[in-house]
Amino acid sequence: MNSSAKIFLISGIILIFLISSCSEEYKWIPVGAFGGQDDGGDSAADGKFYEPRSMDIGFNGTIYVLDTENDRFQVFDSNFTWLETEGGLDPDGIELGKFQDPEGIAVRVIDANISHVYITDTRNHRVEIRFQNYTFNNETNETTVNNSWVEFGQRCYSDCNYDNHIYFEGPKDIEVGSDGTIYVADTGDDRIQIIHPDLKAPAVIFDGSDSPDGRLNSPEGIAVDSRGNIYVADTGNNKIRIFDPTGVQLRSFGGYGSGEREFNEPSGIDIDDEGHIFVADRGNSRIQIFGLSGNYMTEFGNETCSSYIYDDGGNISLHMGGFCYPNDVRVADGKLYVADSAVFNNSA
């Protein structure tokens, strides 16, 4: 490092790696990164972030990034070119398509042009959905894609009726099944909720209290496999826990620490097509990878914040390895995507 370099914390970037597995060994190759800090809120530049805490992958590698502290989400193509930005601050929870510290995003792909976007509006204690649909204009014979927003959920203060309402307390992560079933990490209430596509009362609510590991503690990450089993990053208990579709715990692993199969605030979690489990071990500044049974396979990253070199235009020109605050992880089409909410920028 140049001795005259200035080192300061920025927030944050998205990193992409090619991954491949051979037997029980995983390899990864850095292939790209994009982002950088702009904390301007509604006036923040497109393509920049302020603590991106969640992301998902849509059709043909499209990347949806939840720009949490700017209260918006942004969409990029597979070459990291910016496509759109939507959102803005709503501190009162009354405007659709606006948020207050949103922390979870999921995308349900319908076809090449239609993708529904699900967002946990964390501090407004609700979930918002941007539905897309086709509209045909008889006069011009043109078909266009239109967006519409709906919301569900509210904060429970007292005498809550769970038969007819959905309540959240600071929900963070969210997943959506191919049939539209919604899975929410209801972080502030230490539980998981499963909601039917009709958005009525929850189909299943569980908190793990009847399992050997006891009640969930501020779960921040959730993933669902093809059988409907639910993988939870039990952040406060520093464990990964797997439940069946009815909320019965199947197995768990982890505990506090920095060794193999140990965690310090695990946050993001995802599963590949072969059942391997990828965990953003946020407090240990690393990604850990496990087999289907929870057996340790490998890790990358370290306990020292990432270092990146930026050119004069503010673009990332070199990734020097490691992570600082990996908050979320996604696996798709042989690539691993990491949302690093805070990194070091080295500027000569």
Side-chain angles (χ1 to χ4, degrees):
M1 182 186 302
N2 190 312
S3 61
S4 63
K6 297 178 181 178
I7 302 177
F8 55 95
L9 195 66
I10 68 170
S11 169
I13 66 171
I14 308 300
L15 302 104
I16 302 91
F17 301 82
L18 285 175
I19 53 174
S20 62
S21 62
C22 179
S23 184
E24 290 298 299
E25 182 180 359
Y26 253 93
K27 296 181 179 181
W28 56 92
I29 302 172
V31 295
F34 63 96
Q37 179 169 315
D38 189 335
D39 58 358
D42 289 346
S43 62
D46 295 328
K48 301 294 185 181
F49 310 119
Y50 190 31
E51 292 195 24
R53 294 182 190 166
S54 185
M55 63 190 165
D56 205 1
I57 311 304
F59 180 79
N60 202 27
T62 303
I63 307 166
Y64 293 72
V65 180
L66 195 58
D67 188 6
T68 297
E69 291 298 323
N70 282 324
D71 301 297
R72 63 185 187 174
F73 72 92
Q74 300 188 59
V75 186
F76 302 82
D77 69 16
S78 58
N79 294 316
F80 324 137
T81 301
W82 174 88
L83 299 176
E84 68 165 311
T85 296
E86 187 158 358
L89 175 62
D90 174 19
D92 301 313
I94 58 176
E95 292 187 70
L96 291 176
K98 294 185 180 296
F99 321 101
Q100 184 177 199
D101 291 344
E103 297 216 18
I105 188 169
V107 178
R108 181 186 175 201
V109 176
I110 305 301
D111 60 32
N113 299 305
I114 299 292
S115 293
H116 304 324
V117 181
Y118 300 70
I119 293 175
T120 52
D121 187 7
T122 303
R123 289 189 64 185
N124 286 325
H125 312 284
R126 64 179 177 175
V127 170
E128 295 191 62
I129 307 173
R130 189 184 78 174
F131 287 116
Q132 293 187 316
N133 60 77
Y134 290 109
T135 299
F136 181 74
N137 188 318
N138 290 316
E139 294 182 359
T140 63
N141 290 323
E142 293 180 344
T143 299
T144 58
V145 175
N146 295 308
N147 298 330
S148 61
W149 287 87
V150 301
E151 65 173 335
F152 67 92
Q154 58 186 300
R155 197 174 197 177
C156 175
Y157 291 96
S158 63
D159 300 325
C160 303
N161 181 0
Y162 283 90
D163 292 332
N164 300 306
H165 297 86
I166 298 172
Y167 299 101
F168 297 120
E169 182 67 29
K172 290 196 173 180
D173 203 10
I174 187 168
E175 284 292 321
V176 58
S178 59
D179 63 350
T181 300
I182 302 166
Y183 305 79
V184 179
D186 191 5
T187 307
D189 275 332
D190 304 313
R191 62 187 182 180
I192 304 299
Q193 296 199 51
I194 305 175
I195 295 122
H196 282 312
D198 61 12
L199 308 183
K200 294 182 179 179
V204 178
I205 300 176
F206 63 90
D207 62 11
S209 58
D210 57 352
S211 70
D213 292 301
R215 187 181 176 93
L216 294 166
N217 184 2
S218 300
E220 292 189 18
I222 188 170
V224 182
D225 68 17
S226 59
R227 294 171 293 181
N229 294 324
I230 303 154
Y231 296 67
V232 178
D234 188 3
T235 308
N237 287 322
N238 293 296
K239 289 186 176 182
I240 301 302
R241 299 169 66 174
I242 299 94
F243 299 85
D244 74 10
T246 67
V248 174
Q249 182 168 305
L250 301 175
R251 58 191 181 277
S252 69
F253 60 92
Y256 177 76
S258 58
E260 297 178 2
R261 300 179 87 243
E262 295 179 332
F263 305 102
N264 182 2
E265 294 187 352
S267 49
I269 186 169
D270 203 9
I271 312 159
D272 69 10
D273 293 338
E274 298 177 352
H276 300 123
I277 305 167
F278 296 73
V279 179
D281 187 7
R282 183 174 60 201
N284 285 322
S285 302
R286 64 183 178 178
I287 305 298
Q288 292 198 67
I289 305 174
F290 305 92
L292 182 62
S293 63
N295 55 297
Y296 174 85
M297 294 179 64
T298 190
E299 67 183 74
F300 62 107
N302 51 52
E303 297 182 8
T304 302
C305 282
S306 309
S307 294
Y308 301 86
I309 298 296
Y310 278 67
D311 61 25
D312 293 338
N315 301 307
I316 300 167
S317 59
L318 178 64
H319 169 226
M320 297 182 67
F323 304 107
C324 183
Y325 208 67
N327 212 71
D328 199 14
V329 61
R330 285 290 184 271
V331 184
D333 301 323
K335 294 179 181 178
L336 176 68
Y337 301 77
V338 179
D340 202 348
S341 296
V343 300
F344 279 125
N345 173 20
N346 298 341
S347 179

